[in-house]
Amino acid sequence: MHVLRLIYKNALRHKLRTALTVLGIAIAIMAFGLLRAVIGAWYAGVAQAAPDRLICRSRISITFDLPVAQKPKIERIPGVAAVTSGSWFGGIYKDPKNFFAQIALESVESFRFYPEFIVDSAALAAFASERNAVIVGEATMKRFGWKIGDVIRLQGMIYPGDWDFVIRGIYTGRNPSTDVSQFLLNWNCIDQRMQQEWPARAGRVGWWVIKISDPSRAAAISAAVDREFDNSPDETLTETEAAFQQSYVAMAGTIVFSLKVISFLVIGIILLVAANTMAMTARERIAEYAVLKTLGFRSGHLLGLIAGESLLMSVLGAALGIVILFPVVGGVGAALQAWFPAFLVDPQTYPMAAVIALLVGGLAAAFPAWRAISVSIVNGLRRIG
């Protein structure tokens, strides 16, 4: 108990230096957690991917659409439970900077493929009966201040012209990391207009979403789907939803790898900050340690005093960093919501911060403790005065 009190008193002998050290560690931990949140946002789609959903797209590129005639052929493949489609709409709302994902779903039945989207029955009924009805994620509704019944005009970039949609429902997420920023519209609205204005583009979808009965057979079913369309004008590439999402992450692989490296460099910065403080502290107290030795303090006592003070500062800094992290991630997530719908504190940050705090506290105390223990009483007392 007396040792703990001595550690506490020692830590407060230079209040400004201790406060700055704790603050430096806190900022470093916050930066580490923020970088982890950015990395987690890149992988959010992969983490949320359902194991029983396959994505079938054009083998050339996802920018090439597929004919609706493929659907009955996919449905006949053993292991396939149901098939629906999705298409990227790509419209502009007032200004190109107002980006949000706009997905055309084949029909109201498509919502059964996404149990993570929570939608009330009235909204689904309106979506089924009104060609231009849309259901919008709560994040996008809040972002633009929209209300149910509002008419939203989008300028089509992939499908030319002005398009008016009526908001008939809001969907929420089953989990905190569910993407609730999408603008979900009815594919029939697009197809009917294409039939009138661009007949060659009618009857085409962006990709197929395939629900399978046994996720363990995903690879075999994917291969069977692709074999069905080999040597056809519209060859396909079928993969699990996780692999499909992973392919997008791979496009930014260098950026993600750099972020990972930087996040661990931050740990090195923490170590340098703490080590510098403890080295200064130990150098100033060499004479005191010599006095303690003359009073009967053993090496273990000196090690405990130095390591305890170092751990106290690193743990306080880590705790403060975690507290700061939440509002920072919230603010950054709100600013980047259009690009990273699921920008959250990575739960692994907490145990990692705890381990970092203990590791940094221990390592920063190692050299000062060795120096205090190894110095002789005579040499230590010579520094008095």
Side-chain angles (χ1 to χ4, degrees):
M1 194 67 180
H2 294 295
V3 173
L4 293 178
R5 182 177 296 178
L6 196 54
I7 291 172
Y8 175 73
K9 293 288 186 183
N10 279 340
L12 295 181
R13 287 171 65 178
H14 295 279
K15 293 183 177 61
L16 179 60
R17 185 166 66 193
T18 300
L20 292 176
T21 302
V22 170
L23 184 61
I25 294 173
I27 292 174
I29 287 290
M30 183 275 294
F32 175 76
L34 181 60
L35 289 170
R36 297 291 306 173
V38 174
I39 295 170
W42 280 101
Y43 284 97
V46 179
Q48 289 298 308
D52 62 347
R53 287 198 298 251
L54 305 180
I55 303 297
C56 174
R57 58 185 173 90
S58 168
R59 183 177 292 275
I60 302 171
S61 167
I62 197 169
T63 58
F64 288 76
D65 49 25
L66 299 169
V68 294
Q70 289 182 337
K71 182 177 178 179
K73 296 179 181 179
I74 297 174
E75 289 175 326
R76 289 196 292 269
I77 294 174
V80 172
V83 182
T84 189
S85 67
S87 301
W88 184 260
F89 183 74
I92 295 176
Y93 175 63
K94 295 183 179 178
D95 190 290
K97 68 181 181 182
N98 295 329
F99 173 82
F100 51 90
Q102 304 142 24
I103 308 293
L105 301 180
E106 182 179 306
S107 69
V108 70
E109 298 299 319
S110 300
F111 283 94
R112 295 186 178 180
F113 286 67
Y114 302 98
E116 62 269 34
F117 293 168
I118 309 300
V119 192
D120 63 56
S121 57
L124 293 175
F127 189 87
S129 60
E130 298 179 35
R131 191 182 60 179
N132 62 341
V134 295
I135 295 176
V136 185
E138 61 176 345
T140 299
M141 293 288 290
K142 182 179 179 182
R143 177 185 175 193
F144 296 109
W146 291 343
K147 303 181 296 296
I148 291 179
D150 284 356
V151 177
I152 306 301
R153 170 164 290 186
L154 300 181
Q155 180 186 359
M157 302 304 292
I158 298 175
Y159 303 98
D162 290 334
W163 298 74
D164 291 332
F165 298 102
V166 182
I167 299 175
R168 291 304 185 194
I170 304 171
Y171 78 87
T172 56
R174 184 181 59 183
N175 305 311
S177 57
T178 300
D179 180 1
V180 289
S181 67
Q182 297 185 36
F183 186 93
L184 304 173
L185 55 127
N186 196 321
W187 173 79
N188 286 307
C189 176
I190 301 173
D191 191 58
Q192 289 179 16
R193 184 161 168 179
M194 289 297 102
Q195 289 177 17
Q196 298 171 0
E197 300 178 5
W198 301 79
R201 299 185 61 185
R204 312 282 295 185
V205 299
W207 59 86
W208 297 109
V209 181
I210 304 170
K211 196 171 185 61
I212 58 177
S213 52
D214 183 1
S216 67
R217 297 189 59 233
I221 296 171
S222 298
V225 172
D226 292 340
R227 277 198 304 272
E228 181 68 32
F229 304 111
D230 276 349
N231 301 316
S232 74
D234 298 290
E235 292 188 323
T236 60
L237 173 62
T238 307
E239 55 197 348
T240 62
E241 190 177 60
F244 176 74
Q245 296 287 351
Q246 184 69 46
S247 65
Y248 283 96
V249 177
M251 294 178 189
T254 303
I255 297 174
V256 175
F257 177 76
S258 300
L259 290 174
K260 290 180 179 178
V261 172
I262 293 171
S263 69
F264 286 101
L265 286 177
V266 169
I267 299 173
I269 295 173
I270 304 173
L271 178 61
L272 291 176
V273 170
N276 180 60
T277 300
M278 292 312 301
M280 291 171 61
T281 301
R283 185 172 62 249
E284 294 172 355
R285 299 177 187 168
I286 286 294
E288 297 178 24
Y289 296 141
V291 172
L292 292 176
K293 287 181 179 179
T294 62
L295 296 176
F297 280 70
R298 299 181 181 276
S299 298
H301 293 126
L302 298 183
L303 177 63
L305 288 174
I306 297 172
E309 186 176 347
S310 179
L311 287 170
L312 177 63
M313 287 191 290
S314 61
V315 170
L316 284 176
L320 181 61
I322 291 296
V323 171
I324 298 172
L325 179 61
F326 283 96
V328 171
V329 167
V332 174
L336 301 178
Q337 193 171 56
W339 306 100
F340 297 113
F343 196 90
L344 304 169
V345 175
D346 184 352
Q348 292 185 349
T349 301
Y350 311 129
M352 292 179 76
V355 171
I356 291 170
L358 296 175
L359 188 66
V360 167
L363 290 176
F367 177 73
W370 169 81
R371 190 176 180 187
I373 292 170
S374 60
V375 69
S376 66
I377 294 176
V378 174
N379 288 334
L381 292 176
R382 283 176 179 167
R383 303 199 176 202
I384 295 177

